[in-house]
Amino acid sequence: MAQPTQPDSSQQPQVVYVQAPPEKKPFWKKKWFIVLAVIIVLVIAVQATGDGSKKSGPAADAGTSAGAGSAADGDFKKPEPAAGEAASPAAAANSSNVHNVTFTVTSNTATKADVTITSLDAKGNIQQQQENGVALPYTKTIEIDASVIFDASNANILTQVKDGEDITASVQIDDNKPSTSTSTGEYATVVASASS
């Protein structure tokens, strides 16, 4: 029986040296990230100290009363007329401190309807209210602070009859002429939007 041959001990295994790749820094230790973080912190600090402080004195009071507030400050109030100036016709027509937005739904054949109202709330924020199966005729009035800039396109009503075959919806702002829409047919649906 033949013996297996032994490897020649005079041959040495070859060793290959490979240079390891350079160690990567985590992104938070890189210069671009540190510079970006410093800029963001500075911007936040400037906004917190600059916008947070309110100016005082006659010049600042005059600017504020003239409606110089910005949208970023959340100041959406109408400017007050300066002394000696006449108030605008809209302001004269609305002598109270609120706008009254009245939504009405009627029908000759239906007794119930689903109603969705989109309007501003008392503080001027857009809101939506939904009521299902309300009895007809239906009327709802929302009071909005008169100092809020009021865009009539923010007041509308969508309604659909639950029974019957006709429906009429209207939106009226203060004493202005109401904007009215009518629809007929099975499951009649109508949208009425306020006009300015």
Side-chain angles (χ1 to χ4, degrees), residues 51 54 63 67-77:
D51 291 346
K54 296 289 182 185
S70 69
D73 294 334
D75 187 7
F76 293 103
K77 296 189 176 185

Side-chain angles (χ1 to χ4, degrees), residues 40-155:
I40 290 172
V41 169
L42 287 175
V43 168
I44 292 171
V46 167
Q47 286 183 345
T49 58
D51 291 346
S53 63
K54 296 289 182 185
K55 296 179 183 177
S56 61
D61 293 341
T64 303
S65 66
S70 69
D73 294 334
D75 187 7
F76 293 103
K77 296 189 176 185
K78 288 183 180 177
E80 298 289 327
E85 285 185 19
S88 68
N94 185 20
S95 59
S96 69
N97 292 328
V98 295
H99 287 291
N100 291 308
V101 183
T102 303
F103 300 90
T104 306
V105 180
T106 59
S107 176
N108 294 324
T109 59
T111 60
K112 292 183 179 179
D114 293 338
V115 176
T116 303
I117 292 174
T118 304
S119 181
L120 300 180
D121 64 11
K123 296 182 180 180
N125 301 312
I126 292 180
Q127 67 174 355
Q128 193 171 54
Q129 303 171 16
Q130 184 171 3
E131 297 181 54
N132 294 323
V134 297
L136 298 179
Y138 169 87
T139 300
K140 181 167 191 149
T141 300
I142 297 175
E143 292 184 347
I144 301 170
D145 186 341
S147 64
V148 171
I149 294 176
F150 181 68
D151 182 357
S153 67
N154 290 326

